[in-house]
Amino acid sequence: MDNTISTKKSKPRFGVPSELSEGLSEVASPTEEKFRTVIIPIDKLDPDPENPRRLSIEINDLALGPDKEHPEYKKKIHEYEQLLTLAESIKKDGLLNPVTVYENNSRFILVAGERRLFATIITKEKKIEARVFKSRPSLLSIRHIQWVENEEREDLSLKDKFYNLKQLLEAHLLENPSDEITSELIASLTGRTVRQSRTYLKILNDQSVLAAIENDKIKNLESAFIIAGLLSEEQKKNAIDLHFQGGTVKKLKDFAENPIGFKSSESKFSPLPDVKKGTNINLGKVKNIKIARVIANALSAHPETNKYAGIFNDIDWNNPLVIKKAFLKYIKLLEKNYSK
Amino acid sequence: MRIVAVANNKGGVGKTKFAKTLADYIAHNKHKYPQLKKNTLLIDFDSQCNLSNRLLNMEITPYAKEGKQPPIHPDYNPDNPEDKNWDGRSTIANIFFRQPVIPYPTDCEFIDILPGHASKLLEAEQVRKDEMVCKLIDIFYKFIWSEAVTDNYDLIIIDTGPSKGGLTRAAIHAATHLIIPAIMEFDSIEGVYGMMHLWKQENYSRNEDDQLNLIGILPNKFKGNTSLHRNLLDDLKSKPEVGNYVLDEFKLPDKIFFAENDAKGVAPTSVFELPDSNKDKIAVTKTFDYIMEKLING
């Protein structure tokens, strides 16, 4: 690291390295919106009316699980299961990242952390740790907090990541309407490097790729970037199909190098003839753990499927959630194997 | 009660020397501060126990891990039934092991010290991240703000170790003021950044009327004849926001006198015992006049 400002032969002049300088100035600056971290009662928390919710699940679903008759039951149960996992983690390690709220009369309005709040309610705790702003932070601050917090989620989908990114950029442009969206701007807002931000920018500028991400047809950032680099809409459509059918990043890269030679009807990656593209086959549910164990043992014994059987070693066979996760992982590996 | 934490997570910047010199200053200048009606307490939170060693005769023994422990307390009386269960020694680390703490007197009648204990402090700091608050930070806070302490002391000076670990965080959480001594060299300035970060985080969790007051970044062991020290000080001072905290007017010079002070049996034992016309005494007095002003009124 060059810590000199000028390097005349006779006498170098020393300076504080620029990154350290910026860091020092940042910590020394008074904060515009101060907050304090306190424990607050959950029954004093309200949702933010100005912030559209992303979760389908509601607070009244948490005690007994979502109602099976509800039209959005499928989405709700998926969210509920994710919350159960988060609740287990909170019971074990505590809430590592407080929720963010602002004060409103004698109540608190939730800015970020709905999933953490819901998971805490599932643990039956009546209080929660919160960062409390004195007043509603600016929209840009809220979006920035949400971006930072969501980045820490292991289960954050590509769709949610781009949703958050677009929200962050929109909030920035509201305050700075004359700004152009560049990779440098994205880097400064998200904390990513400029190089990583170029990836995001390329995807943001491609409506077909964005639509595919929105429809869960592209779930991988690198694949999205490769597809956004293709020249024609037809090539992009073919590449999206390829990816959706289980094409690996390597296959996509090969395709990107020679897209003309690819024809959708001749794809090696076509699904089995009697199954419609994109149809999921529900393998059924069991309540009896012994049945799940019998199936796992059978898979472990079969010569075609035993190579992934290690997934079932050492799992907690008393915990239905853990067993389900193991089967999901196993099926994913089988799908990958059979799609080659 | 004022509590000043002396912190920088880089070693060798002069934290202990600063803490000792501040104590010396009070010993020689308390008359200037009628607000100080009670005693001053020094706390050695550094496992190296240098402050303790300078003010007490820490004992080197092969039987104590790390080789240093506080001497037998002058109030210890093995014939006293009340002292039956006491080994005669006391350290600040005792608070983490539910053992009594009894400050030691020093050569100055109104300055006491709670010495460190190398192995006990290291052991206390070996907590998991999620245990840090309840096992270190809260315990120290409750101790320092207990009646037993506030009834007897109105100024506490905490010398911390070169780390951002649990003990330093505990000191910062309990303190009302923070000072960051720094040598104008790259490593030490990085340490400044680390401490300012902790300061900011601490203030996020405090109410507005209870903020941790940063007295400043004190350039220490300053070598005015080197371009490195001069340039870095000028550069730091010129930075927006952070420049306001750099106490360049009050920088402490790198003088062999300060090191010689520490030798036992050498006179004078303090810069404040030099003649009033002495340039070093004038410079150091000016620095500590400012610091005390910030502590008492800032």
Side-chain angles (χ1 to χ4, degrees):
Chain A
M1 176 169 60
D2 181 6
N3 298 327
T4 55
I5 293 172
S6 72
T7 51
K8 284 186 187 171
K9 266 191 182 168
S10 52
K11 233 173 186 176
R13 182 167 169 81
F14 298 96
V16 178
S18 54
E19 275 182 8
L20 184 53
S21 265
E22 281 169 24
L24 281 165
S25 290
E26 199 194 307
V27 290
S29 308
T31 41
E32 285 170 9
E33 282 132 346
K34 276 201 190 154
F35 57 78
R36 64 188 200 285
T37 304
V38 291
I39 311 281
I40 61 173
I42 287 177
D43 60 9
K44 287 204 162 193
L45 259 170
D46 295 321
D48 186 357
E50 295 180 49
N51 198 13
R53 293 184 64 227
R54 293 278 282 169
L55 291 178
S56 297
I57 199 162
E58 311 270 354
I59 280 191
N60 22 356
D61 293 325
L62 298 178
L64 300 167
D67 177 7
K68 286 182 183 156
E69 306 304 320
H70 196 283
E72 285 204 299
Y73 173 73
K74 208 173 152 188
K75 190 173 180 207
K76 284 191 178 210
I77 194 69
H78 174 68
E79 289 171 359
Y80 184 65
E81 283 167 0
Q82 286 183 324
L83 289 174
L84 285 176
T85 307
L86 182 56
E88 283 305 309
S89 155
I90 291 173
K91 271 192 217 167
K92 189 176 158 224
D93 299 320
L95 185 66
L96 300 178
N97 190 8
V99 298
T100 305
V101 305
Y102 67 91
E103 286 179 85
N104 187 26
N105 296 323
S106 54
R107 297 191 63 80
F108 300 98
I109 309 296
L110 186 70
V111 165
E114 190 175 51
R115 294 173 75 254
R116 275 165 280 154
L117 170 63
F118 280 13
T120 303
I121 293 173
I122 289 173
T123 68
K124 305 214 188 312
E125 283 287 336
K126 303 287 179 217
K127 294 185 177 184
I128 190 167
E129 197 177 5
R131 272 186 224 106
V132 180
F133 283 87
K134 283 199 159 185
S135 57
R136 188 170 204 272
S138 68
L139 182 61
L140 182 55
S141 293
I142 291 173
R143 294 292 180 244
H144 194 252
I145 290 166
Q146 289 167 341
W147 169 266
V148 168
E149 293 194 352
N150 279 314
E151 280 293 280
E152 290 180 13
R153 283 177 49 194
E154 286 174 1
D155 61 344
L156 187 71
S157 66
L158 191 66
K159 178 175 162 180
D160 282 340
K161 186 189 277 286
F162 271 87
Y163 175 81
N164 293 330
L165 179 59
K166 283 195 286 179
Q167 295 245 291
L168 180 58
L169 289 168
E170 277 164 19
H172 176 84
L173 290 175
L174 268 174
E175 283 190 20
N176 308 276
S178 59
D179 276 2
E180 216 182 289
I181 298 182
T182 60
S183 43
E184 285 78 16
L185 174 66
I186 294 174
S188 71
L189 288 175
T190 62
R192 298 281 175 173
T193 62
V194 171
R195 190 178 168 177
Q196 286 171 324
S197 303
R198 280 193 204 116
T199 301
Y200 287 131
L201 184 60
K202 197 171 184 75
I203 295 168
L204 282 170
N205 286 337
D206 193 310
Q207 293 308 314
S208 346
V209 171
L210 272 181
I213 291 172
E214 187 63 30
N215 294 326
D216 286 319
K217 287 195 160 184
I218 303 177
K219 297 192 179 185
N220 170 280
L221 183 67
E222 195 178 352
S223 303
F225 178 68
I226 294 169
I227 297 170
L230 294 169
L231 295 173
S232 77
E233 287 305 314
E234 197 194 340
Q235 286 168 4
K236 286 180 192 175
K237 185 185 169 307
N238 289 337
I240 290 169
D241 288 345
L242 172 61
H243 172 75
F244 187 63
Q245 289 160 27
T248 59
V249 167
K250 186 181 180 310
K251 296 292 176 194
L252 272 178
K253 281 181 179 171
D254 291 342
F255 172 78
E257 278 169 21
N258 185 22
I260 294 167
F262 174 83
K263 283 184 191 173
S264 186
S265 57
E266 292 173 9
S267 168
K268 289 182 213 173
F269 308 99
S270 306
L272 294 170
D274 57 343
V275 175
K276 278 187 197 163
K277 209 169 35 176
T279 303
N280 289 332
I281 301 170
N282 191 330
L283 296 174
K285 268 192 222 182
V286 292
K287 284 188 181 166
N288 190 333
I289 288 177
K290 279 187 189 162
I291 296 174
R293 202 146 190 185
V294 162
I295 295 173
N297 288 341
L299 288 168
S300 304
H302 197 287
E304 267 195 51
T305 56
N306 62 3
K307 63 178 166 176
Y308 304 119
I311 286 169
F312 297 112
N313 294 344
D314 301 325
I315 66 165
D316 180 1
W317 284 98
N318 293 317
N319 188 331
L321 255 170
V322 166
I323 300 169
K324 179 179 169 174
K325 267 190 174 169
F327 270 98
L328 282 173
K329 195 171 175 184
Y330 191 88
I331 288 169
K332 216 170 175 172
L333 285 168
L334 285 181
E335 287 212 299
K336 203 171 169 179
N337 182 54
Y338 279 97
S339 69
K340 287 180 189 162
Chain B
M1 184 170 74
R2 276 96 171 156
I3 304 174
V4 58
V6 185
N8 185 322
N9 56 296
K10 295 294 175 182
V13 301
K15 294 184 288 296
T16 301
K17 180 51 107 177
F18 174 89
K20 183 177 177 288
T21 310
L22 179 56
D24 279 345
Y25 172 87
I26 292 164
H28 290 86
N29 293 280
K30 188 169 174 175
H31 56 275
K32 289 189 199 173
Y33 304 98
Q35 309 95 321
L36 293 182
K37 297 182 195 318
K38 302 176 189 173
N39 285 356
T40 294
L41 178 65
L42 287 161
I43 292 181
D44 192 352
F45 244 4
D46 185 356
S47 59
Q48 292 177 59
C49 299
N50 289 325
L51 182 64
S52 310
N53 209 32
R54 284 174 196 175
L55 290 170
L56 302 175
N57 289 318
M58 295 289 276
E59 292 176 1
I60 296 177
T61 165
Y63 303 110
K65 245 187 187 179
E66 307 293 331
K68 275 190 192 164
Q69 61 180 353
I72 296 290
H73 199 285
D75 291 350
Y76 175 64
N77 179 359
D79 297 327
N80 183 346
E82 281 185 10
D83 292 349
K84 189 177 136 196
N85 294 320
W86 185 22
D87 68 352
R89 302 177 203 274
S90 180
T91 94
I92 182 62
N94 284 8
I95 62 171
F96 304 116
F97 299 94
R98 299 185 193 282
Q99 292 161 354
V101 286
I102 302 140
Y104 286 67
T106 64
D107 291 339
C108 176
E109 60 172 312
F110 46 81
I111 296 184
D112 293 340
I113 181 168
L114 267 171
H117 187 294
S119 59
K120 278 188 174 178
L121 283 174
L122 287 171
E123 191 184 330
E125 213 170 26
Q126 296 303 314
V127 295
R128 291 198 319 261
K129 197 174 166 188
D130 57 312
E131 289 177 319
M132 197 184 287
V133 170
C134 58
K135 290 199 172 171
L136 279 181
I137 294 174
D138 279 354
I139 289 177
F140 183 67
Y141 186 91
K142 282 178 186 150
F143 164 74
I144 212 80
W145 287 100
S146 64
E147 260 182 36
V149 174
T150 56
D151 280 353
N152 290 292
Y153 302 100
D154 47 23
L155 175 60
I156 299 184
I157 304 164
I158 309 174
D159 181 25
T160 65
S163 106
K164 280 168 77 176
L167 292 174
T168 300
R169 285 170 195 255
I172 284 177
H173 182 63
T176 57
H177 293 76
L178 171 67
I179 186 152
I180 308 174
I183 299 180
M184 291 297 108
E185 292 170 12
F186 300 112
D187 280 355
S188 176
I189 293 174
E190 276 189 18
V192 169
Y193 173 66
M195 284 303 112
M196 289 188 80
H197 207 256
L198 278 189
W199 163 64
K200 193 144 200 189
Q201 270 191 326
E202 175 61 29
N203 277 340
Y204 279 154
S205 66
R206 292 191 185 197
N207 291 328
E208 248 186 56
D209 55 356
D210 181 35
Q211 297 280 283
L212 175 63
N213 202 320
L214 175 58
I215 296 174
I217 301 160
L218 179 66
N220 203 9
K221 300 186 183 182
F222 187 75
K223 294 179 182 161
N225 57 349
T226 67
S227 44
L228 175 66
H229 281 215
R230 284 198 320 273
N231 292 168
L232 286 183
L233 178 58
D234 289 345
D235 198 30
L236 205 57
K237 184 73 188 158
S238 70
K239 299 297 171 203
E241 304 297 347
V242 71
N244 297 333
Y245 291 104
V246 178
L247 305 177
D248 59 325
E249 273 181 66
F250 303 106
K251 55 189 177 290
L252 293 172
D254 181 35
K255 295 269 178 163
I256 194 65
F257 174 85
F258 289 116
E260 287 172 348
N261 265 173
D262 293 337
K264 307 251 188 243
V266 165
T269 56
S270 162
V271 67
F272 301 105
E273 288 171 12
L274 294 169
D276 288 349
S277 55
N278 181 283
K279 277 197 304 190
D280 291 332
K281 180 177 178 180
I282 292 171
V284 176
T285 303
K286 180 182 165 193
T287 298
F288 284 90
D289 280 346
Y290 175 81
I291 286 166
M292 280 302 288
E293 169 64 27
K294 295 296 265 184
L295 264 175
I296 303 293
N297 297 321

mmCIF file with all atom_site columns, all heavy atoms in Angstrom, chain A residues 291-305:
data_model
loop_
_atom_site.group_PDB
_atom_site.id
_atom_site.type_symbol
_atom_site.label_atom_id
_atom_site.label_alt_id
_atom_site.label_comp_id
_atom_site.label_asym_id
_atom_site.label_entity_id
_atom_site.label_seq_id
_atom_site.pdbx_PDB_ins_code
_atom_site.Cartn_x
_atom_site.Cartn_y
_atom_site.Cartn_z
_atom_site.occupancy
_atom_site.B_iso_or_equiv
_atom_site.pdbx_formal_charge
_atom_site.auth_seq_id
_atom_site.auth_comp_id
_atom_site.auth_asym_id
_atom_site.auth_atom_id
_atom_site.pdbx_PDB_model_num
ATOM 1   N N   . ILE A 1 291 ? -41.784 -44.721 8.199   1.00 0.00 ? 291 ILE A N   1
ATOM 2   C CA  . ILE A 1 291 ? -41.933 -44.898 6.747   1.00 0.00 ? 291 ILE A CA  1
ATOM 3   C C   . ILE A 1 291 ? -40.830 -44.110 6.030   1.00 0.00 ? 291 ILE A C   1
ATOM 4   O O   . ILE A 1 291 ? -40.213 -44.596 5.076   1.00 0.00 ? 291 ILE A O   1
ATOM 5   C CB  . ILE A 1 291 ? -43.322 -44.429 6.276   1.00 0.00 ? 291 ILE A CB  1
ATOM 6   C CG1 . ILE A 1 291 ? -44.404 -45.302 6.917   1.00 0.00 ? 291 ILE A CG1 1
ATOM 7   C CG2 . ILE A 1 291 ? -43.428 -44.454 4.751   1.00 0.00 ? 291 ILE A CG2 1
ATOM 8   C CD1 . ILE A 1 291 ? -45.818 -44.849 6.629   1.00 0.00 ? 291 ILE A CD1 1
ATOM 9   N N   . ALA A 1 292 ? -40.589 -42.891 6.534   1.00 0.00 ? 292 ALA A N   1
ATOM 10  C CA  . ALA A 1 292 ? -39.531 -42.067 5.927   1.00 0.00 ? 292 ALA A CA  1
ATOM 11  C C   . ALA A 1 292 ? -38.196 -42.796 6.030   1.00 0.00 ? 292 ALA A C   1
ATOM 12  O O   . ALA A 1 292 ? -37.377 -42.789 5.098   1.00 0.00 ? 292 ALA A O   1
ATOM 13  C CB  . ALA A 1 292 ? -39.445 -40.711 6.637   1.00 0.00 ? 292 ALA A CB  1
ATOM 14  N N   . ARG A 1 293 ? -37.983 -43.437 7.158   1.00 0.00 ? 293 ARG A N   1
ATOM 15  C CA  . ARG A 1 293 ? -36.712 -44.142 7.365   1.00 0.00 ? 293 ARG A CA  1
ATOM 16  C C   . ARG A 1 293 ? -36.598 -45.340 6.431   1.00 0.00 ? 293 ARG A C   1
ATOM 17  O O   . ARG A 1 293 ? -35.511 -45.621 5.906   1.00 0.00 ? 293 ARG A O   1
ATOM 18  C CB  . ARG A 1 293 ? -36.650 -44.595 8.830   1.00 0.00 ? 293 ARG A CB  1
ATOM 19  C CG  . ARG A 1 293 ? -35.236 -44.836 9.262   1.00 0.00 ? 293 ARG A CG  1
ATOM 20  C CD  . ARG A 1 293 ? -34.972 -44.497 10.666  1.00 0.00 ? 293 ARG A CD  1
ATOM 21  N NE  . ARG A 1 293 ? -33.520 -44.545 10.866  1.00 0.00 ? 293 ARG A NE  1
ATOM 22  C CZ  . ARG A 1 293 ? -32.930 -44.380 12.030  1.00 0.00 ? 293 ARG A CZ  1
ATOM 23  N NH1 . ARG A 1 293 ? -33.657 -44.130 13.089  1.00 0.00 ? 293 ARG A NH1 1
ATOM 24  N NH2 . ARG A 1 293 ? -31.632 -44.426 12.138  1.00 0.00 ? 293 ARG A NH2 1
ATOM 25  N N   . VAL A 1 294 ? -37.720 -46.028 6.246   1.00 0.00 ? 294 VAL A N   1
ATOM 26  C CA  . VAL A 1 294 ? -37.699 -47.194 5.325   1.00 0.00 ? 294 VAL A CA  1
ATOM 27  C C   . VAL A 1 294 ? -37.322 -46.720 3.923   1.00 0.00 ? 294 VAL A C   1
ATOM 28  O O   . VAL A 1 294 ? -36.502 -47.352 3.235   1.00 0.00 ? 294 VAL A O   1
ATOM 29  C CB  . VAL A 1 294 ? -39.089 -47.884 5.329   1.00 0.00 ? 294 VAL A CB  1
ATOM 30  C CG1 . VAL A 1 294 ? -39.259 -48.779 4.126   1.00 0.00 ? 294 VAL A CG1 1
ATOM 31  C CG2 . VAL A 1 294 ? -39.289 -48.670 6.622   1.00 0.00 ? 294 VAL A CG2 1
ATOM 32  N N   . ILE A 1 295 ? -37.917 -45.602 3.496   1.00 0.00 ? 295 ILE A N   1
ATOM 33  C CA  . ILE A 1 295 ? -37.635 -45.081 2.147   1.00 0.00 ? 295 ILE A CA  1
ATOM 34  C C   . ILE A 1 295 ? -36.159 -44.679 2.037   1.00 0.00 ? 295 ILE A C   1
ATOM 35  O O   . ILE A 1 295 ? -35.479 -44.995 1.051   1.00 0.00 ? 295 ILE A O   1
ATOM 36  C CB  . ILE A 1 295 ? -38.544 -43.880 1.817   1.00 0.00 ? 295 ILE A CB  1
ATOM 37  C CG1 . ILE A 1 295 ? -40.002 -44.322 1.758   1.00 0.00 ? 295 ILE A CG1 1
ATOM 38  C CG2 . ILE A 1 295 ? -38.137 -43.221 0.493   1.00 0.00 ? 295 ILE A CG2 1
ATOM 39  C CD1 . ILE A 1 295 ? -40.999 -43.185 1.605   1.00 0.00 ? 295 ILE A CD1 1
ATOM 40  N N   . ALA A 1 296 ? -35.658 -44.017 3.088   1.00 0.00 ? 296 ALA A N   1
ATOM 41  C CA  . ALA A 1 296 ? -34.246 -43.606 3.063   1.00 0.00 ? 296 ALA A CA  1
ATOM 42  C C   . ALA A 1 296 ? -33.337 -44.825 2.980   1.00 0.00 ? 296 ALA A C   1
ATOM 43  O O   . ALA A 1 296 ? -32.359 -44.844 2.226   1.00 0.00 ? 296 ALA A O   1
ATOM 44  C CB  . ALA A 1 296 ? -33.920 -42.776 4.309   1.00 0.00 ? 296 ALA A CB  1
ATOM 45  N N   . ASN A 1 297 ? -33.682 -45.870 3.723   1.00 0.00 ? 297 ASN A N   1
ATOM 46  C CA  . ASN A 1 297 ? -32.864 -47.089 3.689   1.00 0.00 ? 297 ASN A CA  1
ATOM 47  C C   . ASN A 1 297 ? -32.902 -47.728 2.308   1.00 0.00 ? 297 ASN A C   1
ATOM 48  O O   . ASN A 1 297 ? -31.891 -48.233 1.812   1.00 0.00 ? 297 ASN A O   1
ATOM 49  C CB  . ASN A 1 297 ? -33.351 -48.088 4.748   1.00 0.00 ? 297 ASN A CB  1
ATOM 50  C CG  . ASN A 1 297 ? -32.999 -47.621 6.153   1.00 0.00 ? 297 ASN A CG  1
ATOM 51  O OD1 . ASN A 1 297 ? -32.114 -46.781 6.335   1.00 0.00 ? 297 ASN A OD1 1
ATOM 52  N ND2 . ASN A 1 297 ? -33.700 -48.135 7.157   1.00 0.00 ? 297 ASN A ND2 1
ATOM 53  N N   . ALA A 1 298 ? -34.094 -47.730 1.712   1.00 0.00 ? 298 ALA A N   1
ATOM 54  C CA  . ALA A 1 298 ? -34.238 -48.328 0.376   1.00 0.00 ? 298 ALA A CA  1
ATOM 55  C C   . ALA A 1 298 ? -33.395 -47.566 -0.644  1.00 0.00 ? 298 ALA A C   1
ATOM 56  O O   . ALA A 1 298 ? -32.705 -48.154 -1.489  1.00 0.00 ? 298 ALA A O   1
ATOM 57  C CB  . ALA A 1 298 ? -35.703 -48.316 -0.039  1.00 0.00 ? 298 ALA A CB  1
ATOM 58  N N   . LEU A 1 299 ? -33.414 -46.235 -0.544  1.00 0.00 ? 299 LEU A N   1
ATOM 59  C CA  . LEU A 1 299 ? -32.623 -45.413 -1.470  1.00 0.00 ? 299 LEU A CA  1
ATOM 60  C C   . LEU A 1 299 ? -31.134 -45.667 -1.249  1.00 0.00 ? 299 LEU A C   1
ATOM 61  O O   . LEU A 1 299 ? -30.344 -45.710 -2.196  1.00 0.00 ? 299 LEU A O   1
ATOM 62  C CB  . LEU A 1 299 ? -32.931 -43.920 -1.242  1.00 0.00 ? 299 LEU A CB  1
ATOM 63  C CG  . LEU A 1 299 ? -34.306 -43.454 -1.719  1.00 0.00 ? 299 LEU A CG  1
ATOM 64  C CD1 . LEU A 1 299 ? -34.599 -42.059 -1.180  1.00 0.00 ? 299 LEU A CD1 1
ATOM 65  C CD2 . LEU A 1 299 ? -34.375 -43.440 -3.247  1.00 0.00 ? 299 LEU A CD2 1
ATOM 66  N N   . SER A 1 300 ? -30.772 -45.845 0.012   1.00 0.00 ? 300 SER A N   1
ATOM 67  C CA  . SER A 1 300 ? -29.354 -46.056 0.333   1.00 0.00 ? 300 SER A CA  1
ATOM 68  C C   . SER A 1 300 ? -28.867 -47.398 -0.194  1.00 0.00 ? 300 SER A C   1
ATOM 69  O O   . SER A 1 300 ? -27.689 -47.583 -0.470  1.00 0.00 ? 300 SER A O   1
ATOM 70  C CB  . SER A 1 300 ? -29.144 -46.018 1.848   1.00 0.00 ? 300 SER A CB  1
ATOM 71  O OG  . SER A 1 300 ? -29.635 -44.818 2.356   1.00 0.00 ? 300 SER A OG  1
ATOM 72  N N   . ALA A 1 301 ? -29.806 -48.349 -0.310  1.00 0.00 ? 301 ALA A N   1
ATOM 73  C CA  . ALA A 1 301 ? -29.398 -49.690 -0.728  1.00 0.00 ? 301 ALA A CA  1
ATOM 74  C C   . ALA A 1 301 ? -29.350 -49.820 -2.243  1.00 0.00 ? 301 ALA A C   1
ATOM 75  O O   . ALA A 1 301 ? -28.625 -50.643 -2.793  1.00 0.00 ? 301 ALA A O   1
ATOM 76  C CB  . ALA A 1 301 ? -30.351 -50.714 -0.142  1.00 0.00 ? 301 ALA A CB  1
ATOM 77  N N   . HIS A 1 302 ? -30.117 -48.970 -2.958  1.00 0.00 ? 302 HIS A N   1
ATOM 78  C CA  . HIS A 1 302 ? -30.222 -49.115 -4.415  1.00 0.00 ? 302 HIS A CA  1
ATOM 79  C C   . HIS A 1 302 ? -28.928 -48.653 -5.078  1.00 0.00 ? 302 HIS A C   1
ATOM 80  O O   . HIS A 1 302 ? -28.419 -47.573 -4.778  1.00 0.00 ? 302 HIS A O   1
ATOM 81  C CB  . HIS A 1 302 ? -31.406 -48.272 -4.914  1.00 0.00 ? 302 HIS A CB  1
ATOM 82  C CG  . HIS A 1 302 ? -31.835 -48.654 -6.293  1.00 0.00 ? 302 HIS A CG  1
ATOM 83  N ND1 . HIS A 1 302 ? -31.095 -48.337 -7.421  1.00 0.00 ? 302 HIS A ND1 1
ATOM 84  C CD2 . HIS A 1 302 ? -32.914 -49.368 -6.738  1.00 0.00 ? 302 HIS A CD2 1
ATOM 85  C CE1 . HIS A 1 302 ? -31.702 -48.802 -8.495  1.00 0.00 ? 302 HIS A CE1 1
ATOM 86  N NE2 . HIS A 1 302 ? -32.814 -49.448 -8.101  1.00 0.00 ? 302 HIS A NE2 1
ATOM 87  N N   . PRO A 1 303 ? -28.399 -49.452 -5.992  1.00 0.00 ? 303 PRO A N   1
ATOM 88  C CA  . PRO A 1 303 ? -27.112 -49.099 -6.609  1.00 0.00 ? 303 PRO A CA  1
ATOM 89  C C   . PRO A 1 303 ? -27.144 -47.772 -7.376  1.00 0.00 ? 303 PRO A C   1
ATOM 90  O O   . PRO A 1 303 ? -26.142 -47.085 -7.474  1.00 0.00 ? 303 PRO A O   1
ATOM 91  C CB  . PRO A 1 303 ? -26.812 -50.272 -7.569  1.00 0.00 ? 303 PRO A CB  1
ATOM 92  C CG  . PRO A 1 303 ? -28.089 -51.023 -7.693  1.00 0.00 ? 303 PRO A CG  1
ATOM 93  C CD  . PRO A 1 303 ? -28.907 -50.741 -6.487  1.00 0.00 ? 303 PRO A CD  1
ATOM 94  N N   . GLU A 1 304 ? -28.314 -47.406 -7.919  1.00 0.00 ? 304 GLU A N   1
ATOM 95  C CA  . GLU A 1 304 ? -28.375 -46.151 -8.693  1.00 0.00 ? 304 GLU A CA  1
ATOM 96  C C   . GLU A 1 304 ? -28.446 -44.910 -7.810  1.00 0.00 ? 304 GLU A C   1
ATOM 97  O O   . GLU A 1 304 ? -28.133 -43.810 -8.255  1.00 0.00 ? 304 GLU A O   1
ATOM 98  C CB  . GLU A 1 304 ? -29.634 -46.159 -9.573  1.00 0.00 ? 304 GLU A CB  1
ATOM 99  C CG  . GLU A 1 304 ? -29.372 -46.689 -10.978 1.00 0.00 ? 304 GLU A CG  1
ATOM 100 C CD  . GLU A 1 304 ? -30.502 -46.363 -11.935 1.00 0.00 ? 304 GLU A CD  1
ATOM 101 O OE1 . GLU A 1 304 ? -30.908 -45.188 -12.007 1.00 0.00 ? 304 GLU A OE1 1
ATOM 102 O OE2 . GLU A 1 304 ? -30.990 -47.304 -12.594 1.00 0.00 ? 304 GLU A OE2 1
ATOM 103 N N   . THR A 1 305 ? -28.883 -45.105 -6.580  1.00 0.00 ? 305 THR A N   1
ATOM 104 C CA  . THR A 1 305 ? -29.132 -43.917 -5.750  1.00 0.00 ? 305 THR A CA  1
ATOM 105 C C   . THR A 1 305 ? -28.324 -43.884 -4.457  1.00 0.00 ? 305 THR A C   1
ATOM 106 O O   . THR A 1 305 ? -28.418 -42.958 -3.662  1.00 0.00 ? 305 THR A O   1
ATOM 107 C CB  . THR A 1 305 ? -30.620 -43.819 -5.369  1.00 0.00 ? 305 THR A CB  1
ATOM 108 O OG1 . THR A 1 305 ? -30.988 -45.028 -4.710  1.00 0.00 ? 305 THR A OG1 1
ATOM 109 C CG2 . THR A 1 305 ? -31.488 -43.597 -6.590  1.00 0.00 ? 305 THR A CG2 1
#
